Amino acid sequence: MDHSPFLTNLSILVIDDEQLILDTIRRYIEEHGGQCTTALSFLTALKLVENFQFDLVICDYFLNGDGTGVDFIDKIKSIDPDLSSILITGKIIDDALSKIIYKNIYALLYKPFDFKTMGFMILQAAKNTRNLRRIAYQTENLNKKIAAIQMDLSDVFINTLLALTNALEQKDEYTKNHSEMVGQLAKKICWEYTDDEKFISDVLIAGKLHDIGKIGIKDDILFKVESLTIEEFDTIKKHSEMSYKIIKPVDSIGKISSYILHHHERWDGTGYPHKLKEKGIPAGARILSVADTFNALTSNRPYRKAKDRTVAMQVLFDNSGKQFDPEIVEIIFRLIKSGRIDTKEKLVTPRIKNE
């Protein structure tokens, strides 16, 4: 018998409920240079796949009491999706071909074996596993490189937008550094709301860029001292959607752009642009809504002087459960009262209206 080592360095798992079959296949594989592990049961084989990496699984179609070989292959695909499999059986199975095609099983061999055919199938199926793993590895590395490039480009683009936002706000003494302050205030609220650092980072960036869409609005509307007309206010309201369109191309996950898009939604569902309601509004947007309003209230505007912190908090409390998420309003109140948000005035506890 030809014992050429054409299976060298291949690790193969064989599952069958007959020890004689296991011994026969194991002897053939080892005589040709391969490493063979055997199992008499479904559960034993599953544990082996969980703990070791094989190049191929050869499994009996019928496993006493444990289900079929097809069931076993379904299970191992969730553990090692690139692992090729060969089914063996001593019975004629009417729909065998359709099953192996549907389940992406490499081959079906009937007992008694033609060992030359089996050896060829083992070699090709094992090569298939290694090819799939190599492709998966290369794809993963390529995706990482693409992600890194996209991240670098996103960082450059985000920094450019931050500079543009700052330049836009410097044109008006009343809105200087508004977005930076909203971002920093939102960040402090976030630390009370969650310890998810990615979420906090996204909200911070969203806060700094939430008004970038105003760059497309005419100055005579943007900086108008008199009351806006209905048409002019409708134009201003479009800034959240315009901001979203600017940010979305470099926001691969969609969180930052989503927070920006929805920061003018209201808890009661009467906000814009999509009239989202309560927890249907992204958490980051709910936080930005409170931070944006608080900063606007406590800053000078051409049509009014800045309100003190107590008055601003009273406005937030009066609109808690209407415009604002009550949980976020409570958080900002705690932050101000404890001194974690800088205040010049002593904060008087707001009056909470009886419902």
Side-chain angles (χ1 to χ4, degrees):
M1 181 182 288
D2 180 15
H3 290 171
S4 60
F6 67 94
L7 301 179
T8 299
N9 296 325
L10 296 183
S11 179
I12 299 158
L13 173 64
V14 183
I15 307 102
D16 198 298
D17 51 19
E18 294 184 42
Q19 188 64 53
L20 179 60
I21 298 294
L22 292 179
D23 291 341
T24 301
I25 298 176
R26 178 182 54 76
R27 187 163 46 250
Y28 177 83
I29 291 170
E30 291 178 350
E31 284 175 350
H32 292 84
Q35 298 174 357
C36 185
T37 302
T38 61
L40 283 163
S41 73
F42 192 127
L43 295 178
T44 300
L46 273 180
K47 290 179 181 178
L48 288 167
V49 173
E50 288 172 351
N51 290 291
F52 302 97
Q53 187 175 75
F54 297 98
D55 295 300
L56 173 66
V57 164
I58 301 173
C59 184
D60 190 21
Y61 198 102
F62 298 101
L63 297 170
N64 291 339
D66 288 332
T68 68
V70 175
D71 296 328
F72 174 73
I73 290 167
D74 280 342
K75 289 283 186 182
I76 65 171
K77 285 295 182 184
S78 64
I79 302 169
D80 188 348
D82 298 322
L83 179 58
S84 298
S85 54
I86 293 176
L87 284 176
I88 56 176
T89 183
K91 300 177 182 178
I92 300 298
I93 305 165
D94 293 336
D95 59 349
L97 183 59
S98 61
K99 281 189 176 182
I100 67 171
I101 292 173
Y102 178 72
K103 295 293 184 178
N104 201 26
I105 296 166
Y106 193 83
L108 174 66
L109 296 177
Y110 286 95
K111 306 172 188 176
F113 306 118
D114 176 89
F115 281 101
K116 287 186 179 180
T117 300
M118 185 174 74
F120 175 76
M121 288 296 181
I122 289 173
L123 180 62
Q124 294 305 310
K127 285 182 177 179
N128 184 62
T129 297
R130 293 192 173 187
N131 285 336
L132 290 174
R133 285 178 180 154
R134 184 175 64 254
I135 292 168
Y137 175 77
Q138 291 171 342
T139 301
E140 182 182 1
N141 280 348
L142 179 60
N143 287 338
K144 286 179 179 178
K145 289 178 181 178
I146 292 172
I149 293 169
Q150 288 176 333
M151 183 66 72
D152 289 343
L153 292 174
S154 296
D155 287 345
V156 170
F157 192 62
I158 292 293
N159 287 332
T160 302
L161 293 179
L162 289 171
L164 285 173
T165 298
N166 184 59
L168 175 68
E169 292 180 352
Q170 297 306 313
K171 293 167 67 176
D172 178 22
E173 63 177 301
Y174 295 103
T175 59
K176 284 182 179 178
N177 304 318
H178 166 70
S179 293
E180 175 68 28
M181 290 186 287
V182 169
Q184 294 299 335
L185 178 55
K187 180 181 178 181
K188 291 180 180 180
I189 295 171
C190 283
W191 278 116
E192 287 291 299
Y193 183 79
T194 180
D195 59 1
D196 183 338
E197 293 188 10
K198 181 64 168 65
F199 173 81
I200 296 167
S201 174
D202 285 352
V203 173
L204 172 62
I205 295 172
K208 291 181 177 183
L209 294 175
H210 72 283
D211 280 343
I212 186 65
K214 288 182 178 178
I215 204 165
I217 298 174
K218 294 179 179 179
D219 287 357
D220 57 350
I221 296 177
L222 203 57
F223 305 129
K224 187 176 180 180
V225 176
E226 301 83 12
S227 296
L228 296 172
T229 65
I230 293 174
E231 291 77 13
E232 289 170 338
F233 184 59
D234 284 341
T235 298
I236 290 287
K237 285 167 65 176
K238 292 177 181 177
H239 79 275
S240 59
E241 292 174 282
M242 294 168 69
S243 299
Y244 173 82
K245 289 177 181 178
I246 293 170
I247 301 298
K248 183 59 181 174
V250 291
D251 183 19
S252 58
I253 300 177
K255 299 294 186 182
I256 296 171
S257 54
S258 176
Y259 301 155
I260 289 172
L261 176 64
H262 297 299
H263 77 278
H264 281 295
E265 305 284 1
R266 291 173 56 103
W267 186 256
D268 61 9
T270 61
Y272 63 88
H274 296 152
K275 297 188 181 299
L276 302 184
K277 186 177 182 180
E278 297 181 0
K279 293 297 179 72
I281 305 168
R286 285 182 269 127
I287 290 171
L288 285 183
S289 177
V290 170
D292 187 26
T293 301
F294 184 82
N295 180 262
L297 289 171
T298 55
S299 301
N300 287 322
R301 289 292 183 264
Y303 47 86
R304 62 157 174 80
K305 290 184 178 180
K307 299 181 184 297
D308 66 37
R309 270 61 171 176
T310 297
V311 174
M313 275 308 311
Q314 187 63 59
V315 171
L316 293 183
F317 268 100
D318 288 348
N319 288 279
S320 178
K322 299 173 185 176
Q323 182 176 351
F324 308 114
D325 180 344
E327 181 183 1
I328 307 304
V329 173
E330 289 290 343
I331 288 174
I332 193 171
F333 175 64
R334 289 199 308 269
L335 288 169
I336 295 173
K337 193 170 184 180
S338 66
R340 283 174 285 173
I341 291 178
D342 222 2
T343 59
K344 296 177 182 177
E345 310 89 359
K346 181 180 178 181
L347 181 69
V348 178
T349 303
R351 304 178 308 280
I352 301 175
K353 292 183 178 180
N354 293 324
E355 296 296 332

